Amino acid sequence: MLSRLLRHPVALIIGVVAALFALYEISVRFLAYTADAYVMSDIVVISSQIEGPVSRLAVQNNQPVAAGDLLFEIERTPFALKVQEAQATLTQAQADLGLAQDEVRAATANITATQAVQTNAQSQLARVRTLSGEGYSPEASLDVATRDVATAGANVLAAQAQLAVASQRVAVATAAIGSAQAALAKAQYDLSKTVVTAPEPGRIAPFTTRLGDYLSAGSEVLALVTERRRRVVANMGERHLARIRLGQRVLLTLGSDPWVLHWGRVSGIAAGVARSPHNPRVIPYVEPTTDWVRLPRRFPVEVTLDGWPPGLGLFHGADARVLIWF
């Protein structure tokens, strides 16, 4: 049989290829392997929340930092001046409120006085009418008393109008104080954002921002590579997804620690991938080609090591190889 195959090399090659293909198809029913894997951890992108020139850079590339360590500062002088301006505006608004409240008190006292005069004028008019009816008071006195009552009533109305105006000024001054307080709080907030600190421990990834660079609000300044959620992300072919389960044992190697086998467990399976790199990058996109060869769709599978190798630093993006068996 072998001699006949050797006399027909084409048949031999086809047979070997078919046998290898069958062996591969059988193996992938029990094993899933990928070299398209890499080390990851959470990265915090530090951005500027205000605009202005960088006045101080307190860190360097690859420097380890602790939570609360100073990263950089933005020129604070314009923001300190805005705080002073907002404080002065608030002080003026508070003074205006005090004056308006004084006007309310004065208008209230004026109403009391004019009402007393009105009461007295009405009493005087009643007496004059009584005397006039009995023939003891001339008509001129009745006219004067009637005029005094009308004048007193007009004065009461004027005082009440003054109180209404003063009350409105109090409302306006109160609103101005609220606006000034909000402006002061905003100015103080902006001033606090001139100093940027590390939100958690990590290492500073290489960055290009330099002293004096002018930042806009939202400008990405540097990235902090943390050790939170250290994991390996393996892009697995879609044919394996139905058999991969959370918690499955995984054997892997790290590019930064070659020839050493590590154990881990599946800790996450991507629910979906983007079909095009032009889609919004809300979900991951895995390139389906390599060296002009179209590959099946691959989905990110997260693997958490049982224990990170002692003394081995975290190198975000380092290569890894992953083997899962079913």
Side-chain angles (χ1 to χ4, degrees):
M1 179 67 177
L2 180 59
S3 61
R4 284 200 300 269
L5 288 175
L6 292 176
R7 287 195 298 270
H8 299 83
V10 174
L12 176 62
I13 293 173
I14 294 175
V16 170
V17 170
L20 291 175
F21 178 76
L23 182 62
Y24 170 77
E25 286 297 317
I26 293 172
S27 68
V28 295
R29 297 292 299 176
F30 303 97
L31 299 173
Y33 170 81
T34 182
D36 185 11
Y38 47 91
V39 176
M40 282 193 69
S41 68
D42 287 353
I43 292 182
V44 180
V45 178
I46 309 297
S47 301
S48 170
Q49 297 188 35
I50 57 175
E51 65 175 28
V54 177
S55 60
R56 182 183 177 188
L57 277 173
V59 293
Q60 299 177 351
N61 291 348
N62 308 312
Q63 176 181 331
V65 295
D69 283 356
L70 176 65
L71 300 179
F72 64 92
E73 292 183 7
I74 297 175
E75 177 58 47
R76 61 183 285 116
T77 301
F79 300 96
L81 293 175
K82 286 184 179 179
V83 169
Q84 294 179 5
E85 180 182 0
Q87 183 62 65
T89 302
L90 176 59
T91 301
Q92 179 64 52
Q94 290 171 335
D96 291 342
L97 176 61
L99 290 175
Q101 290 172 336
D102 289 341
E103 290 178 356
V104 168
R105 287 190 287 269
T108 302
N110 191 30
I111 288 177
T112 302
T114 55
Q115 286 176 338
V117 172
Q118 183 186 40
T119 301
N120 183 64
Q122 290 171 341
S123 299
Q124 180 65 22
L125 176 60
R127 288 193 296 270
V128 170
R129 280 177 176 169
T130 301
L131 293 174
S132 178
E134 295 175 354
Y136 294 107
S137 178
E139 272 309 310
S141 297
L142 181 60
D143 293 340
V144 171
T146 302
R147 183 199 60 194
D148 290 344
V149 168
T151 302
N155 290 337
V156 169
L157 292 176
Q160 289 173 339
Q162 289 176 353
L163 177 60
V165 171
S167 299
Q168 187 63 30
R169 287 177 179 171
V170 168
V172 171
T174 301
I177 287 177
S179 177
Q181 288 174 334
L184 177 59
K186 177 64 166 58
Q188 291 172 333
Y189 175 81
D190 288 344
L191 179 62
S192 71
K193 294 305 176 183
T194 60
V195 177
V196 181
T197 59
E200 57 184 287
R203 284 203 305 163
I204 303 298
F207 59 94
T208 59
T209 302
R210 294 295 178 259
L211 193 67
D213 286 355
Y214 193 89
L215 304 178
S216 300
S219 298
E220 296 180 353
V221 180
L222 50 84
L224 180 65
V225 181
T226 73
E227 295 193 3
R228 178 161 40 89
R229 292 205 316 130
R230 292 188 292 189
R231 60 199 184 277
V232 170
V233 177
N235 292 321
M236 287 290 181
E238 55 190 342
R239 67 185 303 171
H240 301 299
L241 295 178
R243 295 187 296 277
I244 297 177
R245 297 288 183 269
L246 293 177
Q248 270 185 307
R249 296 290 285 168
V250 174
L251 193 61
L252 56 88
T253 62
L254 301 175
S256 57
D257 191 24
W259 308 111
V260 178
L261 297 177
H262 303 281
W263 291 97
R265 292 185 181 275
V266 175
S267 57
I269 304 172
V273 294
R275 297 286 294 185
S276 168
H278 306 296
N279 290 344
R281 298 299 296 274
V282 178
I283 57 177
Y285 172 76
V286 181
E287 179 63 50
T289 59
T290 175
D291 297 332
W292 305 102
V293 177
R294 178 64 166 79
L295 299 176
R297 289 288 172 181
R298 290 165 292 162
F299 286 69
V301 174
E302 293 188 357
V303 175
T304 302
L305 274 66
D306 291 348
W308 197 260
L312 179 65
L314 174 68
F315 299 96
H316 186 96
D319 287 333
R321 291 175 172 81
V322 173
L323 176 66
I324 305 176
W325 58 95
F326 310 116

